[in-house]
Amino acid sequence: MTDQPIQKMTGAEALVSTLADHGVKACFANPGTSEMHLVTALDHEPRIKSVLCLFEGVATGAADGHARVTGDPAMTLLHLGAGYLNGGANIHNARRAWTPMINVIGDHAVPHQRYDAPLTSDITGMAGPNSNWIKSADKVSAVGEMAAEAWEASFGPVAGPVSLVLPADTAWLEGGKPGKARVRPTLRKPDGARIEAAAAAVKSASKPVIIISGTALTEAGIAQAARVKAAGVRVLTDTFFPRQARGAGRFIPDRMQYFAEGAMTDLEGSDLMLIAGTQVPVAFFSYPGKPSVLVPEGCTPMILGGPESDSAAILEALADALGAKEAADVAVLEMPGLPSGDLNAMTVAASIVRHMPEGTFVSDDGVSNGLPCFLMTQRARPHEWMMLTGGAIGQGMPLALGASLAAPDRKTLCISGDGAGMYTNQALWSMAREGANVVNVVFVNHSYRILNIELARTGAGNPGPVAQDLLGLGHPEIDWVKLSEAQGVPAVNATDAEEFDAALERAFAADGPQLIAAHVPAR
Amino acid sequence: MTDQPIQKMTGAEALVSTLADHGVKACFANPGTSEMHLVTALDHEPRIKSVLCLFEGVATGAADGHARVTGDPAMTLLHLGAGYLNGGANIHNARRAWTPMINVIGDHAVPHQRYDAPLTSDITGMAGPNSNWIKSADKVSAVGEMAAEAWEASFGPVAGPVSLVLPADTAWLEGGKPGKARVRPTLRKPDGARIEAAAAAVKSASKPVIIISGTALTEAGIAQAARVKAAGVRVLTDTFFPRQARGAGRFIPDRMQYFAEGAMTDLEGSDLMLIAGTQVPVAFFSYPGKPSVLVPEGCTPMILGGPESDSAAILEALADALGAKEAADVAVLEMPGLPSGDLNAMTVAASIVRHMPEGTFVSDDGVSNGLPCFLMTQRARPHEWMMLTGGAIGQGMPLALGASLAAPDRKTLCISGDGAGMYTNQALWSMAREGANVVNVVFVNHSYRILNIELARTGAGNPGPVAQDLLGLGHPEIDWVKLSEAQGVPAVNATDAEEFDAALERAFAADGPQLIAAHVPAR
C-alpha cells in the first residue's frame, strides 16, 4: 500500500516539497491568481521561508543574494510572463554571476492557454534566453520530477537560473508525486595535462598573468592565488565577480580595470594570460576605436577552466606544478583615523573600514562610487564582497536582502548609487518586514554620474540641455530618508565625513535595516 | 548635389529625425552607455520631448498613456536586453491595449556582440513575443528606413508595440539617411456583406448582444452604440478596454463582468453575440470547474471585426442596416452631495464625481477598488476612462504620466491600489519633474485584496499564516505620503469621507502632481 497523503498531493505540493527535499530554504515571491495553490503549498512547508517582495526584480535579486551566501539555489514565485519580465533584469545579472536559481513561473491552466486571455504570453520564448534550463509542466504527475530536474539543472554544467513554468491546473490538481532525489553536481576538477602545459608556459613566459573568478575567490582559493603569485604569476580578478573573500589576513589580487584602454595599459607586456573560473576578458562596452577583447598584442590566452570549473582547485594544482611554497603575502589590518571634511567615496570608504564588522557581506551596486570603496577596503576586517556582474543596475538592495536573510547573524552592507537604488527601492520594504540586518549606504549625487563619464568616452559630443537633463537626477532631488522611512527602514542624511562616520557606527550597532543617504559631489 | 548635413548624419540622428518627421512627439527614456548617441540626437531634435524615467517600466507605461491620448506612437529608449525586460510588463499591457509604441533598444556595437560582454543577451529573442514587429539594424545606412518601417508597423494590421534594436555603432557612425515618408495605415472598414448578415441575424435573434472595444468607445462610436441599442441589441464593452468616452451626455453601455460565473449569469439566454473591435470574450483566469470562453450555451458568436477594424464605423453601418434612428439615451449629469463617514471606494467615487473636471483622463489601476469607482462615475462630467488591459499591475501611474504630458491642459486622475502602485512608484518622480497635472489617488488597504478574493475562488483552501503573509502589505505599513514627498509630489492622507472630499477638491485645483493616500478598509 502506498501512503495515503502522497496520493492526495497537488502539483504545487509536489513542487514545493521536492525543492525542500533538495535543500531549497527560501522562496522570494510576488504571487498572483495563477499561483494561489503554490502559496497554499508554501504555507504547509516549514522548511522553506517565504518572503513577500513588492516587485519581482526584488524577488529575483534576493534569490541571487541568498544563493551567493549559501551556495544553494533559492526559488522565486513569479506571475506569468509579465511577472517574469519584471524579474528579468536581476535574472540576467544572476546568469552573469553563475548563480543557481529556480524561477517558478505560474501560467494559465493548460486548457485555458489556447484562448489568449489578457495575461497570456509566450513565457518560454521570453524566459528562454536567460534560463540555463526551462520546462513547462503539462501534467500534474510530472511536476515533482520536473522540480528535481530543475534543481539539478541550476548547478550546470555552468550554474545559473532555471525556469519552471507551472500552469495553474498542474498546480491545483491532485496526483503530484515527489521527484526522485538528485545528487548535487560538482564543479569540474582540474585537467592535469592542461595544468602541466600551463606550468611550462609560465616558466618560459616573461610576464605571465592569470585571470580568476569563481571558487578561486573563496578564502581557500585566494590562499592558493597567493601561492601562484609567489611563483611569479600576476593574479587579477575579473572586473566584476560574484563574490570575493578579502580583507585582513587574505591575499590581495589585482583587479581588471573597467575601461578598456586602462585595462590594456595595465596588461601591457604580458605574454601569457591564464584563465581560471571565468572567460577571456572583454570590454564591458564598445567605444569608437577602442578594443573589445582585453588581451594585449603578443599575449597568448590559455583557458585552464571556465565558470564550470573548480578554479580554487586549478590554482592549487598550478601552484603545486610551479613548485610554489605557502605564501605569507596577506593584507594586514589597517585602521584609518576619523575622516573629516567633505563627504566623498574616499571618506565613506574610510568609515566603512572603521566600522564594518568581521564577516560582513557587501553588496556593491555603487557604480561610480563603488571602485574607491572597493580599493579602500582591501585591508579592512575580513569580509565578503559581492558585485553586479551583469551590468543591470538595481541589483544592490535586493541582493543585500537575500544575502542578509541567508546569514541573519552577520551584517550585510549595501552600497548603491542613487540612480541604481531607485530601480528596486521596494527592497527596503522587504528588509523592514523581515528585520534584515542590512546597512544601506546610498551615494546621493543626483546624477547618473557614470553616464556623464561615458558620454564623453563614446565621443557623443558635449551634452546639450536635453542630454544633460537625461543624465541628471536633480529636479526634483530625491529625499532618500523619506523614501526609506516610507517603507519602514530608519534613515538619516549625512553631508560631511564626521556625520557619516557617526551614522555608520550607529547603523552597524543597530538591529534591523538602516539607511544612510551619503551626499557626495556629482563630480 | 546632395545636401551636406545629410551626409554627416549619424544613425542615431537618422532614427530620431525620421520618427519626428512621422509625428512622434515624445521619448520616454532610461538610457545607458550604449544609447549615448541617441541621447545626443534627441538633444538636437526639438520636435520630440524627452522625458527621463528612473525605471523602464515607467517609460513604457508612459509611452502607452501618451499614445492612448494622441493616437500616435511615442518612442522609448531602453538599455539593452536588461532594460527591455524592466520595461516589458507595461509593453505587454500596451500590446493588450493595441497601443502603437516604438521601443528603441540600444545594443552593443555589431563587432562587439560576438564577445559575450556582461550586458549581452538575446534581445530579439526576449522582445519578440511582445513585439508586433522587431528588427535589429546591422548597418548605419539602414537605420532611417528601419525607423520609418517601425513607425508604420506600430499601426498594424493590429496596432501594438514594435521593437527597433540599435547597435551602438549603427548609432554613432555617420552615413545615416532619413527613412522614406510612410502613409499612416488606417483601420479596416466594415465589410458590407457581414453587416447585412449580422443585421439579419439580429432580426431573427431573441436576445442579441454586441461586445465592443476600440474606436467604438470613442465619443462618436459610443453615439453609434446607442443607436444599435435602440435597435434592440444589448451593448457591452470588454471588461477591460484601452479607453472609453463616458459621463454626462454619453450613452452608457454595459460592461462584461470580470468573474467568469458572473459574466455567464449576466449573458444567460443571449442567442447571438456580435463582436466589434475586439476578440471573443474569455475569462481573465481559469478556475477549477469554471468556463474559459464567455459565450453561453446556444449563443452564436459572429465577428464583425477584430482590433484591426474601425469598430465605430461597424456600429454605424450596423445601426443603418437595422434602420436605427438617432438615439437620445444618454447619461444625465448626476451630482452627489458631500459624502460623509467612513472612507471606502463608494465615497471616494462620489468625491471624484463631485470634483473631477470635464475632459479628465482617468488611469484605472485600482484593482479591487476600481469597479466601484467606474460604476459610480457613469454620470459624472464627460471624461475618458483608460484601463489596465493586460493584467500586469503597475501600469496606473506611468500611464497617467504619459497621458498628462500628451494633454497638459487637462487633468489626469490616476486611481491605483497600493500593491499596484508600489511596482512603478518611480513614476511619481517624473510627474514632479515634468509638473504633470496628475491627481493620484492610492487606495491604501495594506493588502493585495484581490488575491484574498482569488485565493477563495481558486479553491486553494483557507489561508494559513504564510499565505496570509504573502497577500498582506501591512508589517510595515507603507507611508504613501512620505513615499510621494520623497519624489517631489505633494501628498496628504485621508481617513474619512469628508477629509478625502476636501483633499480631492484641493488636488484638482492645484497645479502639478498631487497624491492622496485614501485609507480604505481591507475587507
Side-chain angles (χ1 to χ4, degrees):
Chain A
M1 288 283 290
T2 56
D3 213 353
Q4 279 299 83
I6 289 177
Q7 293 287 352
K8 296 265 193 178
M9 194 177 246
T10 65
E13 287 163 348
L15 184 150
V16 166
S17 65
T18 299
L19 292 182
D21 289 346
H22 283 83
V24 171
K25 291 192 172 52
C27 174
F28 298 93
N30 187 289
T33 300
S34 40
E35 292 77 52
M36 286 298 105
H37 289 77
L38 280 161
V39 166
T40 305
L42 286 164
D43 201 58
H44 300 155
E45 180 49 79
R47 293 172 292 174
I48 296 181
K49 177 180 174 63
S50 295
V51 178
L52 176 59
C53 302
L54 300 186
F55 173 68
E56 293 87 344
V58 176
T60 55
D64 186 352
H66 198 277
R68 290 201 205 181
V69 168
T70 62
D72 290 312
M75 69 179 279
T76 68
L77 205 53
L78 308 173
H79 186 43
L80 295 101
Y84 174 82
L85 292 169
N86 276 337
N90 275 335
I91 296 173
H92 164 89
N93 286 330
R95 179 169 70 87
R96 291 294 181 181
W98 312 305
T99 301
M101 179 188 294
I102 301 166
N103 295 301
V104 178
I105 309 166
D107 195 2
H108 286 308
V110 173
H112 195 61
Q113 288 174 7
R114 77 192 72 156
Y115 297 114
D116 199 32
L119 269 164
T120 305
S121 57
D122 176 6
I123 301 177
T124 50
M126 295 188 298
N130 276 325
S131 303
N132 281 8
W133 175 101
I134 184 166
K135 282 196 182 171
S136 182
D138 57 355
K139 54 180 194 286
V140 62
S141 58
V143 173
E145 189 56 21
M146 209 175 269
E149 199 186 325
W151 178 84
E152 187 177 25
S154 74
F155 291 107
V158 175
V162 300
S163 298
L164 199 169
V165 182
L166 191 67
D169 55 342
T170 61
W172 79 50
L173 290 170
E174 291 180 354
K177 291 176 291 204
K180 269 201 315 282
R182 300 300 205 275
V183 176
R184 184 179 170 139
T186 53
L187 293 169
R188 187 175 297 165
K189 294 292 161 208
D191 173 328
R194 268 204 262 182
I195 296 292
E196 286 310 313
V202 165
K203 282 168 190 163
S204 63
S206 66
K207 213 174 162 191
V209 301
I210 184 165
I211 316 288
I212 59 173
S213 191
T215 54
L217 303 185
T218 59
E219 184 164 12
I222 281 285
Q224 298 301 330
R227 291 180 65 208
V228 171
K229 172 76 188 304
V233 182
R234 184 182 175 201
V235 178
L236 294 106
T237 72
D238 270 345
T239 312
F240 301 106
F241 45 75
R243 175 176 164 184
Q244 183 195 335
R246 59 201 297 270
R250 291 163 177 173
F251 168 66
I252 305 175
D254 291 335
R255 178 178 164 192
M256 280 288 290
Q257 294 196 25
Y258 173 69
F259 290 126
E261 62 276 24
M264 292 303 260
T265 305
D266 185 49
L267 293 171
E268 212 173 278
S270 302
D271 52 352
L272 173 67
M273 183 183 281
L274 305 177
I275 309 284
T278 183
Q279 304 161 299
V280 174
V282 299
F284 207 88
F285 288 109
S286 51
Y287 306 92
K290 288 176 183 158
S292 280
V293 178
L294 304 183
V295 180
E297 190 87 16
C299 179
T300 309
M302 192 168 181
I303 297 173
L304 303 184
E308 78 295 341
S309 67
D310 183 348
S311 52
I314 290 173
L315 288 182
E316 184 176 10
L318 180 63
D320 289 349
L322 290 169
K325 24 179 211 301
E326 290 309 305
D329 179 15
V330 297
V332 175
L333 186 68
E334 243 177 48
M335 203 45 57
L338 175 66
S340 66
D342 291 346
L343 190 63
N344 57 46
M346 306 296 277
T347 68
V348 164
S351 295
I352 290 173
V353 175
R354 285 162 52 82
H355 303 301
M356 181 169 69
E358 182 167 343
T360 297
F361 283 94
V362 180
S363 170
D364 176 4
D365 200 2
V367 197
S368 61
N369 287 295
L371 182 61
C373 289
F374 181 82
L375 294 175
M376 295 271 297
T377 49
Q378 289 184 134
R379 296 174 175 82
R381 296 179 192 88
H383 62 277
E384 302 278 329
W385 198 280
M386 302 184 295
M387 283 184 165
L388 175 66
T389 50
I393 57 174
Q395 178 193 264
M397 292 183 189
L399 196 81
L401 168 68
S404 175
L405 296 182
D409 301 333
R410 302 225 216 160
K411 289 292 180 184
T412 298
L413 171 68
C414 177
I415 58 179
S416 181
D418 50 0
M422 279 305 289
Y423 281 76
T424 46
N425 68 76
Q426 306 92 336
L428 292 167
W429 182 84
S430 294
M431 288 181 195
R433 184 179 182 87
E434 300 294 333
N437 285 317
V438 179
V439 174
N440 297 281
V441 173
V442 178
F443 285 97
V444 180
N445 56 20
H446 304 300
S447 166
Y448 288 122
R449 189 183 156 213
I450 186 70
L451 293 186
N452 281 289
I453 299 167
E454 296 282 26
L455 187 75
R457 282 171 42 75
T458 57
N462 287 324
V466 173
Q468 278 175 341
D469 229 41
L470 282 176
L471 309 183
L473 305 182
H475 325 296
E477 296 189 347
I478 294 159
D479 185 334
W480 275 92
V481 170
K482 278 193 175 172
L483 191 74
S484 183
E485 289 177 349
Q487 300 186 57
V489 175
V492 294
N493 283 308
T495 55
D496 67 35
E498 290 91 338
E499 199 179 4
F500 180 84
D501 193 83
L504 189 66
E505 184 171 19
R506 279 195 308 272
F508 273 122
D511 277 335
Q514 307 286 322
L515 183 142
I516 307 171
H519 294 263
V520 294
R523 273 149 215 291
Chain B
M1 287 281 291
T2 57
D3 212 353
Q4 280 299 87
I6 289 177
Q7 293 286 352
K8 296 263 193 179
M9 193 176 247
T10 65
E13 287 164 348
L15 183 150
V16 167
S17 66
T18 299
L19 292 182
D21 290 345
H22 284 83
V24 171
K25 291 191 173 52
C27 174
F28 297 94
N30 187 288
T33 298
S34 40
E35 292 76 53
M36 286 297 106
H37 289 78
L38 280 161
V39 166
T40 305
L42 287 163
D43 199 60
H44 300 154
E45 180 50 78
R47 292 173 293 174
I48 297 182
K49 177 179 173 63
S50 294
V51 178
L52 176 60
C53 302
L54 299 186
F55 173 68
E56 293 87 346
V58 176
T60 54
D64 186 352
H66 198 277
R68 291 201 204 179
V69 169
T70 62
D72 291 312
M75 70 180 279
T76 68
L77 205 54
L78 307 174
H79 186 44
L80 296 99
Y84 173 82
L85 291 169
N86 276 337
N90 275 334
I91 295 173
H92 164 89
N93 286 329
R95 177 168 72 85
R96 292 293 179 181
W98 313 303
T99 301
M101 178 189 295
I102 302 166
N103 294 303
V104 178
I105 308 165
D107 195 2
H108 286 309
V110 173
H112 195 62
Q113 288 173 8
R114 77 190 73 155
Y115 298 114
D116 198 32
L119 269 164
T120 304
S121 58
D122 176 6
I123 301 177
T124 51
M126 295 188 297
N130 275 325
S131 302
N132 282 6
W133 174 102
I134 184 165
K135 282 195 180 172
S136 181
D138 57 354
K139 54 180 195 283
V140 62
S141 59
V143 174
E145 188 58 18
M146 209 173 270
E149 200 186 325
W151 177 85
E152 187 177 26
S154 75
F155 290 106
V158 176
V162 299
S163 298
L164 198 168
V165 182
L166 192 67
D169 55 341
T170 61
W172 77 51
L173 290 171
E174 291 181 354
K177 292 177 292 205
K180 270 201 315 283
R182 300 297 206 277
V183 176
R184 184 178 169 137
T186 54
L187 293 169
R188 187 175 296 165
K189 294 290 161 213
D191 172 329
R194 267 204 261 183
I195 296 292
E196 287 311 314
V202 165
K203 281 169 190 163
S204 63
S206 66
K207 212 175 164 189
V209 302
I210 185 166
I211 316 288
I212 59 173
S213 190
T215 54
L217 303 184
T218 60
E219 184 163 15
I222 281 284
Q224 298 301 330
R227 292 180 64 210
V228 171
K229 172 74 187 303
V233 181
R234 183 181 176 202
V235 179
L236 293 106
T237 72
D238 271 346
T239 312
F240 300 106
F241 44 75
R243 177 177 162 182
Q244 183 195 336
R246 58 202 298 271
R250 292 161 175 175
F251 168 67
I252 304 176
D254 292 335
R255 177 178 164 193
M256 280 288 290
Q257 294 195 26
Y258 172 69
F259 290 125
E261 62 276 24
M264 292 304 261
T265 305
D266 184 50
L267 293 171
E268 210 172 281
S270 301
D271 53 350
L272 173 67
M273 182 184 282
L274 306 177
I275 309 283
T278 184
Q279 304 160 298
V280 174
V282 298
F284 207 88
F285 288 109
S286 51
Y287 305 91
K290 289 176 182 156
S292 281
V293 178
L294 304 182
V295 180
E297 191 86 16
C299 178
T300 308
M302 192 171 183
I303 297 172
L304 301 184
E308 77 297 340
S309 67
D310 183 349
S311 53
I314 290 173
L315 289 182
E316 185 175 11
L318 179 65
D320 289 350
L322 290 169
K325 20 178 218 299
E326 290 308 306
D329 179 14
V330 298
V332 176
L333 186 67
E334 244 178 45
M335 203 45 58
L338 175 65
S340 66
D342 291 345
L343 189 63
N344 57 46
M346 306 297 278
T347 68
V348 164
S351 294
I352 290 172
V353 175
R354 285 161 52 80
H355 303 301
M356 181 169 68
E358 182 168 344
T360 295
F361 283 94
V362 180
S363 170
D364 176 3
D365 200 0
V367 198
S368 61
N369 287 294
L371 182 62
C373 290
F374 181 81
L375 293 174
M376 295 272 296
T377 49
Q378 290 184 135
R379 296 174 175 82
R381 296 180 192 87
H383 63 276
E384 303 276 331
W385 198 280
M386 302 184 296
M387 282 184 166
L388 175 65
T389 50
I393 57 173
Q395 178 192 264
M397 293 184 189
L399 195 82
L401 167 69
S404 175
L405 296 181
D409 300 333
R410 303 226 216 160
K411 290 290 180 185
T412 298
L413 172 67
C414 177
I415 58 178
S416 181
D418 50 0
M422 279 305 289
Y423 281 76
T424 46
N425 67 76
Q426 307 92 337
L428 292 167
W429 182 84
S430 295
M431 288 181 194
R433 185 178 180 88
E434 301 294 333
N437 284 317
V438 179
V439 174
N440 296 283
V441 173
V442 179
F443 285 97
V444 180
N445 56 19
H446 304 301
S447 167
Y448 288 122
R449 190 183 154 214
I450 185 71
L451 293 186
N452 281 289
I453 301 167
E454 296 282 26
L455 186 75
R457 283 171 42 75
T458 57
N462 287 324
V466 173
Q468 278 175 342
D469 228 42
L470 283 176
L471 309 182
L473 304 181
H475 326 296
E477 296 191 346
I478 294 159
D479 185 334
W480 275 92
V481 171
K482 277 193 174 171
L483 191 75
S484 183
E485 289 177 350
Q487 300 186 57
V489 174
V492 293
N493 283 308
T495 54
D496 67 34
E498 291 91 338
E499 198 180 5
F500 180 84
D501 192 84
L504 189 67
E505 184 172 20
R506 279 196 307 272
F508 274 122
D511 277 336
Q514 308 286 323
L515 184 141
I516 307 172
H519 294 263
V520 294
R523 271 151 217 286

